[in-house]
């Protein structure tokens, strides 16, 4: 069981490399980048095939929580290996692991926070669940469905549209707020504030 002093591991899901940076599939990386900024740290390479930054979230004192923010460098469909290695290295209970990822079945910008559940065809979640089991938190960032008959793989590996980019910073900021609330205030309070 997790106790209040156990660290948290926030894993932003995405694909490494400049060519993927603006893709819908990389919104987890975008949220991780903002959280790293808020922690006042810089990502460093870790032997677990990930970039990590460590710090504390929440008000200084008793409500402050130790957090490791990570971006796996293994590509999306192999995210489970680095996530498990980081969980083991930092001694993080599975209940303190948070995956931040894109979600097709939610409108663009909407958020849903939950604990456990299926992978809904998301290869990053599939890989993490295979390695850790399903009992970790998810912050699901809506990207909407592909237009017309566009294949899902093409849609998620495309950059956000110019209309979406106008609002993207706001939604990424809100997702980072939701991660902080989940860690500091607990799932129920975070859900009541951020689930849309």
């Amino acid at each position: 069981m997790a106790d209040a002093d156990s660290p948290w591991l926030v894993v932003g899901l995405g694909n490494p490399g400049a060519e993927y940076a603006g893709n819908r599939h990389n919104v987890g990386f975008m949220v991780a980048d903002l959280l790293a900024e808020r922690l006042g740290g810089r990502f460093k390479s870790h032997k677990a095939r990930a970039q990590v930054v460590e710090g504390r979230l929440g008000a200084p004192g008793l409500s402050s929580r130790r957090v490791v923010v990570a971006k796996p460098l293994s590509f999306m469909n192999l995210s489970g290996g680095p996530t498990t290695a980081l969980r083991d290295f930092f001694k993080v209970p599975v209940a303190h692991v948070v995956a931040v990822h894109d979600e097709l079945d939610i409108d663009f910008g909407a958020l849903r926070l939950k604990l456990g559940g299926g992978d809904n065809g998301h290869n990053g979640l599939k890989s993490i669940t295979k390695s850790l089991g399903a009992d970790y938190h998810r912050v699901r960032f809506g990207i909407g469905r592909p237009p017309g008959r566009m294949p899902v793989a093409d849609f998620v590996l495309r950059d956000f549209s110019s209309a979406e980019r106008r609002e993207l910073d706001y939604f990424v900021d809100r997702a980072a707020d939701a991660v902080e609330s989940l860690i500091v205030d607990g799932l129920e309070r975070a859900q009541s504030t951020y689930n849309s």
Side-chain angles (χ1 to χ4, degrees):
M1 278 304 288
D3 66 48
D5 296 330
S6 300
W8 286 77
L9 172 62
V10 179
V11 183
L13 297 186
N15 288 309
E19 67 272 34
Y20 299 107
N23 289 179
R24 291 180 177 92
H25 223 20
N26 270 43
V27 76
F29 273 18
M30 296 173 197
V31 175
D33 286 339
L34 181 55
L35 286 167
E37 220 176 277
R38 291 181 182 186
L39 290 171
R42 287 213 171 132
F43 281 104
K44 294 181 177 134
S45 292
H46 191 277
K47 64 183 180 182
R49 286 180 305 138
Q51 290 186 316
V52 301
V53 61
E54 296 178 67
R56 296 189 83 81
L57 287 175
L62 292 176
S63 67
S64 162
R65 300 283 181 262
R66 185 171 159 232
V67 178
V68 178
V69 177
K71 298 192 296 186
L73 298 177
S74 57
F75 287 94
M76 182 68 84
N77 59 353
L78 299 172
S79 300
T83 301
T84 302
L86 290 168
R87 189 273 320 258
D88 293 346
F89 182 86
F90 290 103
K91 298 178 172 51
V92 177
V94 173
H96 278 195
V97 174
V98 182
V100 183
H101 64 93
D102 57 303
E103 179 61 62
L104 285 163
D105 288 335
I106 304 174
D107 290 341
F108 170 67
L111 295 174
R112 300 269 166 75
L113 285 69
K114 69 177 194 169
L115 175 62
D119 56 56
N120 203 20
H122 192 289
N123 288 331
L125 294 182
K126 204 174 283 184
S127 178
I128 293 173
T129 298
K130 189 175 175 189
S131 297
L132 287 186
D135 296 329
Y136 56 93
H137 288 88
R138 299 103 193 274
V139 174
R140 304 159 71 204
F141 186 110
I143 60 168
R145 300 291 307 176
R149 295 175 180 226
M150 181 189 290
V152 166
D154 292 348
F155 180 68
V156 300
L157 293 175
R158 285 210 175 150
D159 287 359
F160 286 99
S161 70
S162 55
E164 288 168 334
R165 280 198 302 272
R166 284 195 285 276
E167 298 182 291
L168 186 59
D169 287 349
Y170 168 78
F171 289 131
V172 167
D173 192 66
R174 194 163 182 273
D177 289 348
V179 172
E180 284 198 47
S181 177
L182 168 61
I183 290 169
V184 175
D185 305 321
L187 178 61
E188 282 184 26
R189 278 187 62 185
Q191 284 175 323
S192 67
T193 305
Y194 294 99
N195 275 15
S196 47

